[in-house]
Amino acid sequence: MNSNSLVSIADLSKDEILHILEQTRYFEEHPNHKILDGKVVATLFFEPSTRTRLSFETAANRLGARVIGFSDKGTTSTSKGETLKDTIKMVSNYVDLIIMRHYLEGAALYASEVTDIPVINAGDGSNQHPSQTMLDLYSIYKTQGTLDNLIITMVGDLKYGRTVHSLLMAMRFFNPTFNFVACNELRMPDEYTNFCDKHGIRYNVSHDFSSEIINSSDIIYMTRVQRERFTDIMEYEKVKDLYNLNNAMLADSKDNLRILHPLPRINEINPDVDDNPKAYYFQQARNGLFTRQALICNALGIDILNR
């Protein structure tokens, strides 16, 4: 395993997180470099993606690297029965960095264990999504001026939502208070509430997306109910529309409130929210480019701030 791999947000210390955020700020101000000239980056997406794949590929291109890879496992030898181990070891012969999304939990960790090339986890099942977490942290910091002592409300699919799992773990350093708003079927798994208990993180559990919760929040993190995680379509239909945010619900919210969403959205945020200055999800997606530039450099052992 390469020590620069990023499999879980738990791999990063508080100081490492803050340093990556500083690198992200630098790349937002100076997005175009050729510091990776001669490097080759592989993007291996065994599961569909728009923002994550395109922002990683754009980040690599803006840094001067070449990009190879695939966005459909059906076009690879996986469809012929090739194992993940063989795919990773084969690709490792060609590239300096592997960025991988996979539908199985633990796939990124396994990939990192069978190669000496650094691996960045771009999402593994419902487990972790550390690069999304870093852009979420950057978005929170930019809009709030701090990461400390914030009230963060997570709404919707908290069971399968790998983005909320990773963000919860990263915030352990910053004394947050969480509101977990979900139905029983999609509630935050015990693994993560136990994590909160272990690290002294305050949290409240609610089935009701109430005005009291909205008006007390600094960040509202909306999530879609992920149809692809359900084996029973009737269960999906039962819960898919339980939590929706519209503009009228924000009338008495705090001035500093910002609404985040990892996207894509379906109908959990009404389009009438888009023009509200508290809506930040499109800017959040843009922040992904600069964050992923920082993460690529970090994985390749390049510190842009100390060159």
Side-chain angles (χ1 to χ4, degrees):
M1 178 187 293
N2 189 294
S3 61
N4 288 336
S5 290
L6 178 58
V7 171
S8 166
I9 199 67
D11 296 338
L12 299 176
S13 68
K14 180 179 181 179
D15 286 344
E16 287 171 327
I17 286 173
L18 294 175
H19 189 67
I20 291 170
L21 294 180
E22 281 300 306
Q23 291 176 303
T24 300
R25 180 188 58 78
Y26 175 88
F27 281 120
E28 182 171 14
E29 295 171 355
H30 310 91
N32 295 312
H33 291 268
K34 294 299 180 183
I35 56 176
L36 298 188
D37 187 33
K39 300 290 187 182
V40 181
V41 174
T43 53
L44 311 184
F45 278 69
F46 295 85
E47 189 178 54
S49 171
T50 300
R51 280 148 297 278
T52 302
R53 182 175 66 85
L54 292 180
S55 62
F56 262 124
E57 292 183 354
T58 302
N61 278 301
R62 286 191 178 275
L63 293 169
R66 300 290 299 274
V67 178
I68 65 171
F70 54 82
S71 59
D72 181 357
K73 65 175 182 175
T75 64
T76 75
S77 291
T78 301
S79 63
K80 302 175 185 177
E82 183 175 67
T83 65
L84 178 61
K85 176 182 179 180
D86 286 2
T87 298
I88 295 300
K89 293 188 77 66
M90 180 273 298
V91 172
S92 297
N93 292 324
Y94 310 142
V95 304
D96 302 285
L97 170 65
I98 293 173
I99 299 164
M100 189 180 84
R101 169 170 288 190
H102 203 282
Y103 48 87
L104 293 179
E105 295 184 20
L109 176 60
Y110 178 74
S112 73
E113 291 173 341
V114 299
T115 180
D116 293 328
I117 299 297
V119 174
I120 296 178
N121 180 8
D124 61 329
S126 59
N127 183 33
Q128 287 271 326
H129 198 347
S131 71
Q132 177 72 43
T133 299
M134 290 306 305
L135 76 90
D136 291 343
L137 291 175
Y138 187 63
S139 298
I140 293 169
Y141 184 78
K142 277 190 70 177
T143 61
Q144 305 300 312
T146 184
L147 292 173
D148 295 310
N149 306 312
L150 297 174
I151 299 175
I152 300 175
T153 296
M154 296 174 165
V155 185
D157 186 354
L158 308 188
K159 179 178 181 180
Y160 299 113
R162 57 194 173 199
T163 64
V164 294
H165 300 161
S166 290
L167 181 57
L168 182 156
M169 295 179 72
M171 288 299 300
R172 70 191 184 278
F173 299 117
F174 304 107
N175 194 37
T177 298
F178 286 110
N179 295 312
F180 298 143
V181 179
C183 59
N184 280 331
E185 293 86 346
L186 296 175
R187 67 184 181 274
M188 186 67 74
D190 291 345
E191 173 186 354
Y192 296 101
T193 54
N194 291 341
F195 180 91
C196 289
D197 294 336
K198 178 180 178 181
H199 290 88
I201 298 171
R202 296 178 298 275
Y203 64 92
N204 306 298
V205 176
S206 177
H207 297 161
D208 183 16
F209 192 24
S210 66
S211 58
E212 289 78 13
I213 287 176
I214 292 171
N215 296 340
S216 69
S217 300
D218 300 301
I219 296 291
I220 293 178
Y221 198 102
M222 299 295 296
T223 66
R224 72 181 174 95
V225 177
Q226 302 174 75
R227 180 174 180 175
E228 63 270 25
R229 306 295 179 208
F230 285 77
T231 56
D232 185 340
I233 191 62
M234 295 305 295
E235 286 298 310
Y236 168 76
E237 292 292 334
K238 176 182 174 182
V239 300
K240 68 175 183 176
D241 293 322
L242 289 181
Y243 300 103
N244 309 96
L245 180 66
N246 62 58
N247 199 47
M249 297 166 68
L250 301 172
D252 297 319
S253 60
K254 295 163 71 170
D255 289 341
N256 66 299
L257 171 68
R258 292 298 181 269
I259 301 150
L260 303 184
H261 191 306
L263 300 176
R265 66 172 164 182
I266 307 301
N267 53 9
E268 58 277 0
I269 299 179
N270 192 293
D272 69 2
V273 177
D274 294 354
D275 294 328
N276 191 310
K278 297 175 183 179
Y280 196 75
Y281 28 91
F282 294 122
Q283 298 96 316
Q284 176 189 2
R286 181 174 183 269
N287 290 337
L289 169 60
F290 316 120
T291 305
R292 287 171 174 131
Q293 286 182 287
L295 291 174
I296 288 172
C297 287
N298 196 65
L300 292 172
I302 298 170
D303 187 345
I304 193 67
L305 301 180
N306 293 297
R307 285 176 61 85

